[in-house]
Amino acid sequence: MPALMAPTVRLYNAWVEAHQEWGPGLHEDGFGLLPSDEVNSPAGFAAWVARLTDEADPAKPNDAGHVYRWIVEGDRVLGGIALRYEFNGAVPPMGHLGYGIRPSARRRGLATWALGRMLDEARGFGLEQLLIMCAADNIASAKTIEHHGGVLEGMRDTACGPARGYWVKL
């Protein structure tokens, strides 16, 4: 049975295995990975996990809140999901939620399950609706969002290419 958990250095080897499965690049949506993050060494990984933890701490001086969760089963990292929200009420450039499932764990309903859990967390922050975006050609992600009541707003041009924008009322 999968679980959502906050990022932890305890899962360094499991996360590296998942990262290698995705292949080179920073395309693991939901992990908050930036080009400046060095995650291939234990020290760099620990610094990255500390940054994610700081971004999720409402007591820290940030312009936005970020809640990162890893989708874990046993000691395997299967994916990640992130809730992003601006304290001033603005919509984050890439939407409120991003998620990704490692290739070998896809087609098991994990994204649908994790998205439902994160929508519950978003309700806890008092958010009334969320913009969730997916690549224009990602039919599986579109179906996941629609399963949770996502209503297609339309296509948007983003830094990552064309994307579908869906609004989900909470």
Side-chain angles (χ1 to χ4, degrees), residues 110-121:
L110 291 167
T112 301
W113 172 82
L115 181 55
R117 298 310 172 278
M118 286 304 278
L119 293 175
D120 289 341
E121 288 204 40

Side-chain angles (χ1 to χ4, degrees), residues 6 11 14 24 46 48 59 67 75 77 80 106 153 167:
L11 291 174
W48 172 59
V67 177
D75 280 337
V77 175
R106 292 178 184 159
E153 169 197 70
W167 285 99

Side-chain angles (χ1 to χ4, degrees), residues 22-103:
W22 257 291
L26 301 173
H27 49 270
E28 295 98 328
D29 294 332
F31 283 105
L33 193 58
L34 301 175
S36 58
D37 292 320
E38 189 285 298
V39 294
N40 294 318
S41 72
F45 185 82
W48 172 59
V49 168
R51 180 179 63 77
L52 298 180
T53 302
D54 280 351
E55 288 181 14
D57 184 349
K60 300 278 182 170
N62 296 313
D63 293 331
H66 297 92
V67 177
Y68 299 99
R69 297 288 182 260
W70 291 353
I71 303 162
V72 176
E73 193 169 55
D75 280 337
R76 286 191 76 216
V77 175
L78 304 179
I81 189 165
L83 170 64
R84 304 176 289 259
Y85 56 96
E86 304 286 333
F87 293 135
N88 65 5
V91 176
M94 294 301 292
H96 292 98
L97 275 166
Y99 54 87
I101 305 296
R102 69 189 283 176

Side-chain angles (χ1 to χ4, degrees), residues 122-134:
R123 285 181 190 94
F125 287 107
L127 298 171
E128 296 177 6
Q129 65 178 355
L130 300 178
L131 176 66
I132 306 175
M133 297 178 15
C134 67

